[in-house]
Every structure is written in C-alpha cells, then in structure tokens.
Amino acid sequence: MSDAPRRIEEKAYAYVTRAGGTELLVFDPPTGEGPQVPKGGIERGEDPADAVLRELSEETGLADATLRDRVATDEWPHPTKPKAYRRHFYHVRADSAPDRWTHEVTGGGEDDGLVYACRWVDVGTAAARLVRDQGAHLDDIVADGLDTGADDTGVRNADRTPPS
C-alpha cells in the first residue's frame, strides 16, 4: 500500500436489537462474505442518523424500527483499496420483526436487487462473527444497557423511524 492519502467514505451502521437487547439483526448477503449488520453510504448533506434508518429500510425492509442512540464513530481503513470508511454506528430497536425473512435490496445503489437473508443472533457472541470488524462497538450497547425499554436520558432522536 502506498503512502498516498486515503479517500474517506462516510457510512452509517445499524446495531438493531430486540428481545431486551439480547438479539442482534444480521443478514447474509448472496456474496457469501459472511454475516453483516445493515449499513450503507451517507448521501451528501444527509444526517448519519437519517442515513442509518434509510439504509435499514432499504436493506431489510424494516419500517417500524426506532433509533435509540449514537454508539460510536470510528475510521476503518480498507485493507486492499486506497480508501477508509468513517463509520457511524447507531443503536436501533425493532421489537416486532420476524425471526427470519428475506428482503430484496432497494434504493438504487450497487446492492440494488440483491436478496439478503435476515436473521437474529445472540448479541453477546455476534461481534466475533461479523465481517470487516463491524462488531467493534457492540460491547458499548451491551455495557450501557441501552435496550432496557426505559426512557434513557442519553437517547437521541428516539422519535425517528425509517422512511416508508
């Protein structure tokens, strides 16, 4: 890898939980890369909190999720390309989602038309199974107990829901 500066891409990542925070939503893309959390690019001028809900809807079809809190922001260098991702992680809650489902990706991006197999996994063991270090901040939502269902004083934008 050269010493050339990396291009930074802004991405929004959703840690979607249910069952009192014990289950995390993941999907298996048809590429076979391995389990991932819903995520995607932030459009120019778009707030990361709005982007995470848009991406969640486009990638999973979930339209009744509630944004709980911003978890973390980090920078992750791509291992083979001259770019890095500024990753904005959010905790989102979706109590009424089914146990398993498939969803065809919408939104017109590079994944448009792909079918993702969505499922729930144990949040305590998910970090080690997610690709590309996507579980880097899962301990933050578990340790902070953000999914208790109570009105947390740290909850930001709790009234935001994905676009229809």
Side-chain angles (χ1 to χ4, degrees):
M1 186 73 46
S2 74
D3 290 335
R6 292 180 181 256
R7 179 173 44 104
I8 304 291
E9 290 184 21
E10 301 280 335
K11 299 277 187 176
Y13 290 69
Y15 286 152
V16 183
T17 61
R18 72 171 191 175
T22 62
E23 295 177 323
L24 178 75
L25 176 65
V26 299
F27 64 78
D28 296 306
T31 59
E33 185 179 13
Q36 302 180 32
V37 296
K39 82 240 161 276
I42 299 172
E43 297 172 2
R44 181 170 295 216
E46 186 177 29
D47 184 280
D50 292 331
V52 79
L53 293 174
R54 176 183 51 77
E55 287 292 341
L56 178 62
S57 178
E58 290 174 3
E59 292 190 350
T60 69
L62 288 179
D64 63 346
T66 302
L67 184 66
R68 300 283 293 161
D69 202 8
R70 185 183 68 77
V71 176
T73 298
D74 69 13
E75 205 166 284
W76 184 80
H78 195 285
T80 61
K81 298 179 183 176
K83 66 179 176 179
Y85 299 119
R86 182 166 299 120
R87 307 183 309 174
H88 303 271
F89 289 86
Y90 286 87
H91 182 200
V92 180
R93 196 158 125 190
D95 291 324
S96 62
D99 290 338
R100 292 179 173 271
W101 72 98
T102 58
H103 178 75
E104 184 174 334
V105 178
T106 61
E110 65 186 46
D111 293 343
D112 197 40
L114 294 179
V115 176
Y116 289 170
C118 302
R119 61 192 168 88
W120 299 93
V121 297
D122 177 72
V123 73
T125 60
R129 296 163 47 187
L130 293 169
V131 300
R132 291 186 241 142
D133 202 25
Q134 291 181 6
H137 305 287
L138 268 176
D139 286 348
D140 294 344
I141 66 169
V142 174
D144 289 344
L146 292 176
D147 206 18
T148 62
D151 289 335
D152 302 306
T153 57
V155 173
R156 181 168 95 56
N157 300 318
D159 61 337
R160 293 188 189 199
T161 55
S164 303

